[in-house]
Amino acid sequence: GNTGLLVANEPRQKRLAALVGNLERCGAYNTLVTSISGAKLARSFHNLFDRVLLDAPCSGDGILCKDRHMLSFWSPEDAQKKCTLQIGLLRAAFHTLRPGGRLVYSTCSLSTEENEDVLLGLLKRYKGLVQIQAVTQVQDGGLASEIGAQYPALLSGCSRVWPHLHATEGAFVAVVGKLGETEWDWVEPDPHPLLRRSPIAVDADPDDWSQRLKERWDFEPEIPAGYELVPQGRQLHLRSAEAAQLLERPWYVRAGMRVATLHKGHYFLSQQAVALWGEQAHQRRLDVDWSQTQSLFAGEPCAVSSPNLTGEVICFHDDIPLCRAVVSSGGDRIEGNVPKVARTNQLTRLLP
């Protein structure tokens, strides 16, 4: 993991916090988060990405089995409007894909207007450059023969998840390959320095944040080549060194991953920093048993016997770093710092 660069675009501001939270929960620091219309993003990224996922906005008719209230918002006219939007997004996404790359177009709609008709819009623009690849992972995902016959045979490789056959919500997926370079009408300044295949030589920690963390946690964080530690407000981030060149771009939101938060003069390690660097900790390491691990993940304090190690620690179970925690001054009680999104009262196992 954390090789290459993952660009995640979310045009809706109110959904950005959830996107950033999910990226950090997964420990991804090779990230660039952007917020702009997908069509406008194609102005900056040309024939570039190895993989593109377009989870297109749609009418949502595929989830009627879960929420019949959605039917009150659906109409043929709305599906046609969505089709126009989806064609523009798919053409833009296809342009950002490099020749030989792979694009996945997906919706939670089952209608041909929002799926096959959208692919026809792509073929109309880039006919000789589009390769529709077969989706083999879904069984019985095709259209009825009389409907499928209305479309080019190459679209038969697309697939649907049918609620009545697969016992889940409905969805559509198409895998698209690219056979040559495309052009875009509007070209903005090139952000490609961030996307170089080889890391550049940089001063990874010009402000010596590593030493400050070492003074507290007895280890100096390993900073991957091409990355740097930078303060952003009350937070410390690990990000690509080239991201500094993109701060003024209108679509830029953030790059990298939060690794610590400043509070009362002290940087508290984030959960993702514990996962990334926790194994480097030795002096401030506390091993806990399975019962204590379950309590930590339930968000509950538990009893410990740690007379010689108090204050902030990193908890481990079977050599797996779990979380940052605080041992009471008496060394007999511990309170964990497992994020709310990861807490559970039904923990049965840990995955390394």
Side-chain angles (χ1 to χ4, degrees):
N2 283 304
T3 58
L5 175 72
L6 174 62
V7 177
N9 184 62
E10 174 51 69
R12 298 174 63 180
Q13 291 288 321
K14 66 180 183 179
R15 299 179 65 172
L16 280 171
L19 172 61
V20 170
N22 284 330
L23 290 171
E24 293 202 335
R25 179 175 55 82
C26 293
Y29 56 80
N30 62 330
T31 57
L32 171 63
V33 176
T34 63
S35 183
I36 198 170
S37 160
K40 292 182 179 180
L41 200 64
R43 300 174 180 179
S44 298
F45 299 94
H46 309 282
N47 301 290
L48 181 66
F49 296 116
D50 300 305
R51 300 287 185 269
V52 175
L53 169 62
L54 172 56
D55 183 14
C58 66
S59 64
D61 58 62
I63 65 172
L64 288 176
C65 60
K66 181 182 74 173
D67 184 5
R68 292 185 178 273
H69 183 63
M70 289 290 297
L71 192 59
S72 62
F73 298 100
W74 185 90
S75 69
E77 294 76 19
D78 179 61
Q80 193 57 53
K81 289 180 181 179
K82 290 291 195 302
C83 173
T84 302
L85 171 63
Q86 292 156 348
I87 289 174
L89 289 173
L90 182 55
R91 288 174 174 174
F94 186 75
H95 173 67
T96 67
L97 186 70
R98 68 164 176 82
R102 184 181 301 170
L103 180 154
V104 171
Y105 173 77
S106 66
T107 70
C108 53
S109 170
L110 298 173
S111 69
T112 55
E113 290 88 348
E114 298 183 65
N115 297 308
E116 281 81 4
D117 289 355
V118 175
L119 290 167
L120 289 178
L122 178 66
L123 289 166
K124 182 178 180 180
R125 175 77 175 266
Y126 299 118
K127 183 176 182 180
L129 301 177
V130 178
Q131 180 187 55
I132 305 297
Q133 302 175 5
V135 178
T136 60
Q137 293 84 354
V138 181
Q139 300 296 319
D140 301 318
L143 286 169
S145 58
E146 62 272 19
I147 299 177
Q150 301 175 25
Y151 292 94
L154 59 86
L155 296 185
S156 64
C158 306
S159 190
R160 280 171 172 75
V161 177
W162 295 105
H164 64 292
L165 294 179
H166 302 111
T168 185
E169 299 169 18
F172 172 88
V173 61
V175 179
V176 181
K178 188 173 184 179
L179 302 178
E181 291 194 351
T182 53
E183 296 182 354
W184 201 250
D185 295 334
W186 193 322
V187 178
E188 294 186 346
D190 183 11
H192 290 190
L194 181 63
L195 309 174
R196 288 176 180 151
R197 299 288 178 171
S198 301
I200 62 172
V202 296
D203 184 351
D205 189 13
D207 298 319
D208 209 21
W209 296 103
S210 297
Q211 183 59 36
R212 303 183 201 190
L213 292 176
K214 182 179 180 180
E215 291 172 357
R216 180 65 181 176
W217 290 100
D218 79 77
F219 68 88
E220 188 169 347
E222 294 179 357
I223 304 174
Y227 287 80
E228 63 181 357
L229 282 177
V230 292
Q232 295 186 15
R234 296 177 57 249
Q235 298 180 346
L236 187 64
H237 285 234
L238 175 67
R239 75 178 189 194
S240 168
E242 294 290 358
Q245 301 182 31
L246 304 177
L247 300 181
E248 302 303 320
R249 295 298 181 91
W251 39 257
Y252 179 89
V253 175
R254 60 176 279 173
M257 179 179 76
R258 176 178 57 90
V259 293
T261 299
L262 179 64
H263 182 64
K264 295 183 178 180
H266 172 65
Y267 272 105
F268 293 88
L269 292 182
S270 67
Q271 179 66 21
Q272 48 270 25
V274 170
L276 179 63
W277 293 323
E279 293 180 351
Q280 297 177 241
H282 298 288
Q283 294 180 21
R284 304 210 63 79
R285 166 180 176 147
L286 180 67
D287 290 284
V288 296
D289 61 26
W290 182 244
S291 176
Q292 293 166 325
T293 298
Q294 290 178 310
S295 295
L296 290 172
F297 275 88
E300 301 171 351
C302 58
V304 294
S305 178
S306 178
N308 299 320
L309 181 61
T310 60
E312 279 191 295
V313 298
I314 295 179
C315 293
F316 283 75
H317 179 74
D318 286 345
D319 291 327
I320 299 175
L322 301 179
C323 65
R324 181 177 61 83
V326 177
V327 179
S328 64
S329 58
D332 59 353
R333 178 185 172 91
I334 186 171
E335 292 193 26
N337 193 45
V338 175
K340 289 183 179 179
V341 69
R343 292 178 188 173
T344 176
N345 292 317
Q346 300 177 343
L347 186 69
T348 59
R349 61 173 179 163
L350 296 173
L351 297 178

